[in-house]
Short mmCIF file of all heavy atoms in Angstrom, two decimals:
data_model
loop_
_atom_site.label_atom_id
_atom_site.label_comp_id
_atom_site.label_asym_id
_atom_site.label_seq_id
_atom_site.Cartn_x
_atom_site.Cartn_y
_atom_site.Cartn_z
N ARG T 1 99.81 86.29 117.75
CA ARG T 1 99.67 85.54 119.01
C ARG T 1 100.64 84.37 119.06
O ARG T 1 101.28 84.12 120.09
CB ARG T 1 98.22 85.05 119.13
CG ARG T 1 97.94 84.12 120.30
CD ARG T 1 96.47 83.74 120.33
NE ARG T 1 96.25 82.61 121.20
CZ ARG T 1 96.29 81.34 120.80
NH1 ARG T 1 96.55 81.06 119.54
NH2 ARG T 1 96.08 80.37 121.66
N ASP T 2 100.77 83.63 117.96
CA ASP T 2 101.73 82.52 117.93
C ASP T 2 103.14 83.02 118.19
O ASP T 2 103.94 82.36 118.87
CB ASP T 2 101.68 81.81 116.57
CG ASP T 2 100.53 80.82 116.45
OD1 ASP T 2 99.79 80.63 117.45
OD2 ASP T 2 100.35 80.23 115.37
N LEU T 3 103.46 84.18 117.64
CA LEU T 3 104.82 84.73 117.73
C LEU T 3 105.08 85.50 119.01
O LEU T 3 106.22 85.93 119.26
CB LEU T 3 105.08 85.65 116.53
CG LEU T 3 105.17 84.98 115.16
CD1 LEU T 3 104.93 85.99 114.05
CD2 LEU T 3 106.53 84.29 114.98
N ASP T 4 104.03 85.72 119.82
CA ASP T 4 104.14 86.55 121.03
C ASP T 4 104.64 87.95 120.70
O ASP T 4 105.48 88.53 121.40
CB ASP T 4 105.08 85.90 122.06
CG ASP T 4 104.45 84.68 122.72
OD1 ASP T 4 103.24 84.72 123.01
OD2 ASP T 4 105.16 83.68 122.89
N ILE T 5 104.10 88.51 119.63
CA ILE T 5 104.42 89.88 119.22
C ILE T 5 103.12 90.68 119.23
O ILE T 5 102.10 90.21 118.71
CB ILE T 5 105.03 89.89 117.80
CG1 ILE T 5 106.39 89.19 117.80
CG2 ILE T 5 105.19 91.32 117.29
CD1 ILE T 5 106.99 89.03 116.41
N PRO T 6 103.10 91.88 119.79
CA PRO T 6 101.88 92.70 119.78
C PRO T 6 101.42 92.95 118.34
O PRO T 6 102.24 93.27 117.46
CB PRO T 6 102.31 94.01 120.46
CG PRO T 6 103.48 93.63 121.31
CD PRO T 6 104.19 92.54 120.56
N TYR T 7 100.15 92.81 118.12
CA TYR T 7 99.58 92.99 116.78
C TYR T 7 99.94 94.35 116.19
O TYR T 7 100.20 94.47 114.99
CB TYR T 7 98.06 92.83 116.85
CG TYR T 7 97.34 93.05 115.54
CD1 TYR T 7 97.35 92.06 114.55
CD2 TYR T 7 96.66 94.24 115.28
CE1 TYR T 7 96.69 92.25 113.33
CE2 TYR T 7 96.00 94.44 114.08
CZ TYR T 7 96.02 93.45 113.11
OH TYR T 7 95.37 93.65 111.91
N GLU T 8 99.99 95.35 117.03
CA GLU T 8 100.27 96.72 116.58
C GLU T 8 101.68 96.86 116.01
O GLU T 8 101.97 97.83 115.30
CB GLU T 8 100.08 97.72 117.72
CG GLU T 8 98.68 97.79 118.29
CD GLU T 8 98.31 96.57 119.14
OE1 GLU T 8 99.25 95.91 119.68
OE2 GLU T 8 97.10 96.27 119.24
N GLU T 9 102.55 95.91 116.31
CA GLU T 9 103.93 96.00 115.82
C GLU T 9 104.15 95.21 114.53
O GLU T 9 105.27 95.13 114.02
CB GLU T 9 104.89 95.48 116.90
CG GLU T 9 104.89 96.33 118.16
CD GLU T 9 105.81 95.78 119.25
OE1 GLU T 9 106.61 94.87 118.94
OE2 GLU T 9 105.71 96.25 120.41
N ILE T 10 103.06 94.63 114.00
CA ILE T 10 103.15 93.83 112.78
C ILE T 10 102.83 94.71 111.56
O ILE T 10 101.91 95.52 111.59
CB ILE T 10 102.15 92.65 112.81
CG1 ILE T 10 102.44 91.73 114.00
CG2 ILE T 10 102.16 91.89 111.50
CD1 ILE T 10 103.64 90.86 113.84
N ARG T 11 103.59 94.54 110.48
CA ARG T 11 103.26 95.15 109.20
C ARG T 11 103.08 94.03 108.19
O ARG T 11 103.92 93.12 108.11
CB ARG T 11 104.38 96.09 108.75
CG ARG T 11 104.08 96.76 107.39
CD ARG T 11 105.14 97.78 107.00
NE ARG T 11 106.37 97.16 106.53
CZ ARG T 11 107.38 97.84 105.96
NH1 ARG T 11 107.29 99.16 105.83
NH2 ARG T 11 108.47 97.21 105.55
N TYR T 12 102.01 94.10 107.41
CA TYR T 12 101.78 93.05 106.43
C TYR T 12 101.14 93.62 105.18
O TYR T 12 100.55 94.70 105.18
CB TYR T 12 100.90 91.93 107.01
CG TYR T 12 99.55 92.36 107.53
CD1 TYR T 12 98.46 92.52 106.66
CD2 TYR T 12 99.33 92.58 108.89
CE1 TYR T 12 97.22 92.90 107.12
CE2 TYR T 12 98.09 92.97 109.36
CZ TYR T 12 97.04 93.13 108.48
OH TYR T 12 95.80 93.51 108.94
N ARG T 13 101.26 92.84 104.09
CA ARG T 13 100.58 93.15 102.84
C ARG T 13 100.06 91.84 102.29
O ARG T 13 100.81 90.87 102.17
CB ARG T 13 101.53 93.80 101.85
CG ARG T 13 100.82 94.42 100.64
CD ARG T 13 101.80 95.23 99.80
NE ARG T 13 101.11 96.11 98.88
CZ ARG T 13 101.37 96.20 97.59
NH1 ARG T 13 102.33 95.45 97.06
NH2 ARG T 13 100.71 97.03 96.83
N SER T 14 98.78 91.82 101.95
CA SER T 14 98.13 90.59 101.51
C SER T 14 97.45 90.82 100.17
O SER T 14 97.00 91.93 99.87
CB SER T 14 97.10 90.15 102.56
OG SER T 14 96.30 89.08 102.08
N ALA T 15 97.36 89.77 99.37
CA ALA T 15 96.63 89.86 98.10
C ALA T 15 96.29 88.46 97.60
O ALA T 15 96.95 87.48 97.94
CB ALA T 15 97.46 90.61 97.05
N GLY T 16 95.25 88.39 96.80
CA GLY T 16 94.80 87.12 96.22
C GLY T 16 93.31 87.20 95.93
O GLY T 16 92.82 88.20 95.40
N ILE T 17 92.58 86.16 96.29
CA ILE T 17 91.13 86.15 96.22
C ILE T 17 90.60 85.87 97.61
O ILE T 17 91.33 85.40 98.49
CB ILE T 17 90.61 85.10 95.21
CG1 ILE T 17 91.08 83.69 95.61
CG2 ILE T 17 91.05 85.45 93.80
CD1 ILE T 17 90.47 82.57 94.77
N ASN T 18 89.32 86.13 97.82
CA ASN T 18 88.76 85.89 99.15
C ASN T 18 88.96 84.44 99.60
O ASN T 18 88.71 83.51 98.84
CB ASN T 18 87.27 86.23 99.16
CG ASN T 18 86.65 86.07 100.53
OD1 ASN T 18 85.72 85.31 100.71
ND2 ASN T 18 87.19 86.77 101.51
N HIS T 19 89.44 84.27 100.80
CA HIS T 19 89.73 82.99 101.42
C HIS T 19 90.94 82.29 100.81
O HIS T 19 91.30 81.19 101.26
CB HIS T 19 88.51 82.05 101.39
CG HIS T 19 87.43 82.46 102.34
ND1 HIS T 19 86.32 81.68 102.59
CD2 HIS T 19 87.28 83.56 103.12
CE1 HIS T 19 85.54 82.29 103.47
NE2 HIS T 19 86.11 83.44 103.81
N MET T 20 91.54 82.88 99.77
CA MET T 20 92.81 82.38 99.30
C MET T 20 93.70 83.57 98.89
O MET T 20 94.17 83.67 97.76
CB MET T 20 92.67 81.38 98.15
CG MET T 20 93.95 80.55 97.97
SD MET T 20 93.90 79.36 96.62
CE MET T 20 93.22 77.91 97.45
N ALA T 21 93.87 84.48 99.84
CA ALA T 21 94.85 85.55 99.70
C ALA T 21 96.05 85.16 100.58
O ALA T 21 95.91 84.39 101.54
CB ALA T 21 94.26 86.88 100.15
N PHE T 22 97.20 85.69 100.24
CA PHE T 22 98.42 85.32 100.95
C PHE T 22 99.15 86.58 101.44
O PHE T 22 99.11 87.63 100.78
CB PHE T 22 99.37 84.54 100.03
CG PHE T 22 98.87 83.17 99.67
CD1 PHE T 22 97.97 83.00 98.62
CD2 PHE T 22 99.28 82.05 100.38
CE1 PHE T 22 97.50 81.74 98.28
CE2 PHE T 22 98.81 80.78 100.04
CZ PHE T 22 97.93 80.64 98.99
N PHE T 23 99.80 86.44 102.60
CA PHE T 23 100.64 87.54 103.09
C PHE T 23 101.90 87.59 102.25
O PHE T 23 102.78 86.72 102.36
CB PHE T 23 100.98 87.33 104.56
CG PHE T 23 99.82 87.54 105.49
CD1 PHE T 23 99.31 86.48 106.23
CD2 PHE T 23 99.22 88.78 105.62
CE1 PHE T 23 98.24 86.66 107.08
CE2 PHE T 23 98.14 88.98 106.47
CZ PHE T 23 97.65 87.91 107.20
N LEU T 24 102.00 88.58 101.40
CA LEU T 24 103.21 88.75 100.59
C LEU T 24 104.35 89.28 101.43
O LEU T 24 105.52 89.02 101.14
CB LEU T 24 102.91 89.69 99.42
CG LEU T 24 101.73 89.27 98.53
CD1 LEU T 24 101.49 90.30 97.44
CD2 LEU T 24 101.97 87.88 97.94
N LYS T 25 104.01 90.04 102.47
CA LYS T 25 104.97 90.49 103.47
C LYS T 25 104.36 90.30 104.85
O LYS T 25 103.16 90.54 105.04
CB LYS T 25 105.32 91.97 103.28
CG LYS T 25 106.14 92.28 102.06
CD LYS T 25 106.51 93.76 102.03
CE LYS T 25 107.40 94.07 100.83
NZ LYS T 25 107.75 95.52 100.78
N PHE T 26 105.14 89.85 105.78
CA PHE T 26 104.69 89.73 107.17
C PHE T 26 105.89 90.05 108.05
O PHE T 26 106.81 89.24 108.16
CB PHE T 26 104.13 88.33 107.46
CG PHE T 26 103.25 88.28 108.66
CD1 PHE T 26 101.94 88.74 108.60
CD2 PHE T 26 103.72 87.82 109.88
CE1 PHE T 26 101.12 88.72 109.72
CE2 PHE T 26 102.91 87.80 111.00
CZ PHE T 26 101.61 88.25 110.92
N GLU T 27 105.90 91.24 108.65
CA GLU T 27 107.11 91.78 109.25
C GLU T 27 106.85 92.38 110.63
O GLU T 27 105.73 92.74 110.96
CB GLU T 27 107.69 92.87 108.34
CG GLU T 27 108.01 92.39 106.94
CD GLU T 27 108.32 93.53 105.97
OE1 GLU T 27 107.65 94.58 106.08
OE2 GLU T 27 109.21 93.37 105.12
N HIS T 28 107.93 92.48 111.41
CA HIS T 28 107.89 93.05 112.75
C HIS T 28 108.70 94.35 112.78
O HIS T 28 109.87 94.37 112.38
CB HIS T 28 108.48 92.05 113.76
CG HIS T 28 108.42 92.52 115.18
ND1 HIS T 28 109.29 92.06 116.16
CD2 HIS T 28 107.61 93.42 115.80
CE1 HIS T 28 109.00 92.66 117.31
NE2 HIS T 28 108.00 93.47 117.12
N ARG T 29 108.05 95.40 113.24
CA ARG T 29 108.74 96.69 113.34
C ARG T 29 109.75 96.66 114.48
O ARG T 29 109.43 96.31 115.61
CB ARG T 29 107.72 97.82 113.57
CG ARG T 29 108.35 99.22 113.52
CD ARG T 29 107.32 100.32 113.66
NE ARG T 29 106.71 100.35 114.98
CZ ARG T 29 105.46 100.03 115.26
NH1 ARG T 29 104.65 99.62 114.30
NH2 ARG T 29 104.99 100.10 116.49
N GLN T 30 111.00 97.03 114.17
CA GLN T 30 112.07 97.03 115.16
C GLN T 30 112.19 98.41 115.83
O GLN T 30 111.63 99.41 115.36
CB GLN T 30 113.40 96.67 114.48
CG GLN T 30 113.36 95.35 113.71
CD GLN T 30 113.07 94.16 114.61
OE1 GLN T 30 113.89 93.78 115.43
NE2 GLN T 30 111.88 93.56 114.45
N LYS T 31 112.91 98.46 116.93
CA LYS T 31 113.04 99.70 117.69
C LYS T 31 113.71 100.81 116.88
O LYS T 31 113.47 101.99 117.10
CB LYS T 31 113.82 99.45 118.98
CG LYS T 31 113.04 98.62 119.99
CD LYS T 31 113.82 98.39 121.27
CE LYS T 31 113.01 97.56 122.27
NZ LYS T 31 113.77 97.28 123.51
N ASP T 32 114.58 100.44 115.92
CA ASP T 32 115.26 101.45 115.12
C ASP T 32 114.43 101.88 113.90
O ASP T 32 114.90 102.65 113.05
CB ASP T 32 116.63 100.94 114.65
CG ASP T 32 116.54 99.73 113.72
OD1 ASP T 32 115.40 99.29 113.43
OD2 ASP T 32 117.59 99.24 113.29
N GLY T 33 113.17 101.37 113.82
CA GLY T 33 112.30 101.76 112.72
C GLY T 33 112.37 100.84 111.51
O GLY T 33 111.57 100.97 110.59
N SER T 34 113.31 99.91 111.49
CA SER T 34 113.40 98.95 110.39
C SER T 34 112.39 97.82 110.61
O SER T 34 111.75 97.74 111.66
CB SER T 34 114.82 98.39 110.28
OG SER T 34 115.14 97.65 111.46
N TYR T 35 112.27 96.94 109.63
CA TYR T 35 111.33 95.82 109.72
C TYR T 35 112.05 94.50 109.49
O TYR T 35 112.93 94.41 108.64
CB TYR T 35 110.20 95.98 108.70
CG TYR T 35 109.19 97.04 109.11
CD1 TYR T 35 109.41 98.38 108.80
CD2 TYR T 35 108.06 96.70 109.82
CE1 TYR T 35 108.50 99.35 109.19
CE2 TYR T 35 107.14 97.65 110.21
CZ TYR T 35 107.37 98.99 109.90
OH TYR T 35 106.47 99.94 110.29
N ARG T 36 111.63 93.48 110.25
CA ARG T 36 112.24 92.16 110.15
C ARG T 36 111.23 91.17 109.61
O ARG T 36 110.09 91.10 110.07
CB ARG T 36 112.72 91.71 111.54
CG ARG T 36 113.45 90.36 111.55
CD ARG T 36 114.05 90.07 112.93
NE ARG T 36 113.03 89.80 113.93
CZ ARG T 36 112.46 88.62 114.14
NH1 ARG T 36 112.81 87.58 113.40
NH2 ARG T 36 111.56 88.45 115.10
#
């Protein structure tokens, strides 16, 4: 929402402990299939 990007276009990976896990990757799928 902050980024004005549809949630469905986001790819992420998170890990840690409950309430203190971190997004190790937080990316936007591009039209060519790559991720930014």
Side-chain angles (χ1 to χ4, degrees):
R1 173 178 165 270
D2 280 357
L3 292 160
D4 288 320
I5 295 174
Y7 177 77
E8 298 73 24
E9 296 178 12
I10 300 286
R11 179 175 76 170
Y12 58 83
R13 192 171 196 230
S14 171
I17 59 173
N18 183 239
H19 288 187
M20 198 181 271
F22 291 84
F23 289 115
L24 305 178
K25 290 184 177 180
F26 200 77
E27 302 168 322
H28 183 204
R29 187 176 68 249
Q30 305 298 291
K31 290 181 180 178
D32 64 0
S34 64
Y35 285 85
R36 183 173 70 84

